[in-house]
Amino acid sequence: MNENETLSVSVSEVNRKIADLLKNEKSLSGISVNGEISNFTGRHKTGHLYFTLKDETSSIKAIMFKGSVGSLKFEPENGMKVTVKGDVRVFERDGQYQLYAFEMQPEGMGALYVSFLELRERLEKEGLFSQKRPLPKRPETIAVITAETGAALQDILNTLSRRNPLVKVILIPASVQGVNAPGTLISAFNAAQSTNADLLIFGRGGGSIEDLWAFNDEKLARTIFASRIPTISAVGHEVDFTIGDFVADLRAATPTAAAEISVPDISEIYDALTALKSDLRLRFGRLLSLYSERVGALERELHAKSPTAKLSVYTSQLEVLERQIKTAMGTQIGQKRHQLIAEMKRVDALSPLNVLMRGYSIVSDSQNKAVTDSAVLNIGDRVGIKLHKGKITAEVIGKFE
């Protein structure tokens, strides 16, 4: 062969040589690549995933075969940042190199997220998420498990006080973040079981997956499931989900929403009683009109027949009937009136303002919290006293049990 002649090879041979080069390049085997998913159209009918992995300046086509897809703990989506582990190889038919992926994880979540998904799947199969008991419509006592100094507690207390100040709240403080948090939360749940609470709210404010991780504890999940008291989960914000949310009887988007859900507004109860009063008046009016029409019909019938011999008898019967009707109506109206007055008095008695008008007062400490036990005060403490009109400041000079 002349030295000026070049060796000719087929396209297949070129692609095969490139494929061999990549296959033998160890740095491209089992490589982890970070990027954003694009051009993903969902699972192919074969079960494989076809997508593009890109960053700010470049992209690479990728494929994950059905056998590896089964190990995914999340559903890939366009725009999702992921870490893909696989081998860079050439698809010889098209002469195109691509990433053959066998592992994929959402970027930034890593082991915690995978652990969360695995636990969620396992507990769901056990049935821990299927128990959803109805909540009491008008709870008298609510237990709250959260951090004693957190904003979540204040949100819950403020909302309950606004909607229904008659509801009693039992605070069971617990740590809601850190390695010791699951243990304190479990202890708080166990303590709540011995109270007379009708409903239990647990939670905290929002945060990262690490901040909320205490509520993904398996032992805590089983403790929530075993609670004899119906539970509302109020962990984080609307977009945050934890295992505790799935186990609870109801999940609220925020601590404030949990308090809103748990009790009816006292003004709504008053409005319902007012509506009932109007309805009773309307019903009695219709009943009186009906009886009046019946009496009138009897009178007309008597006049139409007008037999002299029977006139006095019919007249007497009519008078008796009228008295019976009036007596029956008077009895019914009186009973309903007494019931209505009793309901109105009960609603009026519930008003905190009436309590103050009777000479009672509300004592608050330096933190403006209501004082119900003299044990929390010390001699010399300054307290505020709320009267029906105005407020005064006083100093504790003595204590009595």
Side-chain angles (χ1 to χ4, degrees):
M1 182 177 66
N2 191 302
E3 61 180 6
N4 293 326
E5 294 181 3
T6 57
L7 180 63
S8 297
V9 295
S10 66
V11 172
S12 296
E13 288 176 314
V14 172
N15 286 346
R16 190 177 304 114
K17 288 180 178 293
I18 295 174
D20 290 340
L21 289 173
L22 290 179
K23 188 175 182 180
N24 293 325
E25 179 56 51
K26 294 182 179 180
S27 63
L28 296 177
S29 295
I31 189 174
S32 293
V33 184
N34 300 324
E36 179 182 314
I37 295 176
S38 65
N39 299 325
F40 178 61
T41 57
R43 296 175 186 255
H44 193 269
K45 60 184 179 181
T46 60
H48 308 328
L49 301 183
Y50 296 91
F51 57 96
T52 299
L53 203 60
K54 68 176 185 178
D55 59 18
E56 292 81 0
T57 58
S58 300
S59 65
I60 181 173
K61 292 186 177 299
I63 178 175
M64 176 176 275
F65 292 119
K66 181 178 180 181
S68 298
V69 172
S71 64
L72 288 180
K73 300 299 182 182
F74 69 102
E75 190 65 30
E77 296 179 359
N78 282 316
M80 181 180 290
K81 291 185 177 181
V82 295
T83 299
V84 177
K85 189 173 184 178
D87 301 328
V88 177
R89 297 287 185 266
V90 169
F91 183 41
E92 293 186 26
R93 189 194 69 183
D94 297 341
Q96 183 180 61
Y97 76 90
Q98 55 190 12
L99 179 63
Y100 289 82
F102 47 79
E103 290 182 12
M104 187 190 306
Q105 289 186 2
E107 186 177 317
M109 297 184 181
L112 280 181
Y113 186 73
V114 172
S115 175
F116 167 79
L117 294 174
E118 290 176 347
L119 179 59
R120 186 182 69 179
E121 181 179 356
R122 179 158 52 85
L123 295 183
E124 184 175 18
K125 288 180 179 178
E126 290 186 33
L128 266 69
F129 300 165
S130 60
Q131 173 180 274
K132 301 301 175 187
R133 296 167 295 183
L135 304 181
K137 293 183 178 180
R138 293 179 178 85
E140 296 181 1
T141 304
I142 298 176
V144 177
I145 297 177
T146 189
E148 192 170 14
T149 58
L153 174 61
Q154 294 306 315
D155 291 342
I156 292 172
L157 293 178
N158 291 339
T159 304
L160 290 177
S161 176
R162 171 176 54 81
R163 288 181 62 82
N164 198 328
L166 300 178
V167 173
K168 179 182 178 183
V169 178
I170 301 175
L171 171 63
I172 306 178
S175 175
V176 294
Q177 184 173 335
V179 294
N180 297 322
T184 64
L185 287 167
I186 291 171
S187 297
F189 265 90
N190 291 333
Q193 306 311 305
S194 61
T195 69
N196 63 341
D198 309 302
L199 182 64
L200 194 159
I201 299 174
F202 67 93
R204 55 154 290 161
S208 65
I209 187 173
E210 291 84 2
D211 294 337
L212 306 180
W213 195 251
F215 295 91
N216 291 324
D217 183 79
E218 181 175 353
K219 290 183 179 179
L220 176 60
R222 298 186 184 280
T223 301
I224 297 171
F225 181 78
S227 173
R228 68 166 184 82
I229 308 171
T231 56
I232 298 179
S233 171
V235 181
H237 301 304
E238 187 171 0
V239 297
D240 301 323
F241 278 90
T242 66
I243 297 298
D245 294 326
F246 296 112
V247 181
D249 293 301
L250 182 69
R251 179 205 180 238
T254 63
T256 299
E260 293 274 0
I261 294 169
S262 63
V263 294
D265 195 324
I266 197 168
S267 63
E268 294 175 1
I269 298 175
Y270 183 82
D271 291 343
L273 290 174
T274 302
L276 177 61
K277 176 182 176 182
S278 299
D279 183 61
L280 287 174
R281 285 180 174 174
L282 180 61
R283 288 174 182 268
F284 283 128
R286 290 175 178 174
L287 194 57
L288 285 171
S289 177
L290 176 62
Y291 280 125
S292 296
E293 290 177 3
R294 289 181 180 178
V295 171
L298 288 173
E299 290 178 342
R300 290 189 294 271
E301 184 179 353
L302 286 173
H303 285 296
K305 293 181 178 180
S306 190
T308 303
K310 295 183 179 181
L311 182 59
S312 61
V313 176
Y314 286 151
T315 301
S316 298
Q317 291 177 346
L318 180 59
E319 291 174 352
V320 172
L321 180 60
E322 287 179 344
R323 286 195 298 270
Q324 290 175 343
I325 290 173
K326 289 179 180 179
T327 300
M329 289 300 301
T331 301
Q332 291 187 38
I333 292 173
Q335 290 175 348
K336 296 300 182 181
R337 182 181 290 113
H338 286 311
Q339 291 176 4
L340 182 59
I341 291 173
E343 287 296 325
M344 292 180 68
K345 286 182 177 179
R346 188 176 70 84
V347 172
D348 190 59
L350 295 177
S351 172
L353 296 177
N354 286 340
V355 177
L356 296 180
M357 289 177 64
R358 295 200 298 270
Y360 290 94
S361 61
I362 299 174
V363 178
S364 57
D365 60 17
S366 60
Q367 301 299 318
N368 203 28
K369 294 183 178 179
V371 177
T372 60
D373 188 347
S374 63
V376 302
L377 295 175
N378 298 313
I379 301 299
D381 285 353
R382 296 183 69 82
V383 296
I385 301 176
K386 171 66 177 177
L387 306 174
H388 173 59
K389 291 185 178 181
K391 182 176 180 180
I392 62 176
T393 301
E395 181 178 324
V396 178
I397 62 173
K399 295 172 57 176
F400 306 93
E401 295 297 331

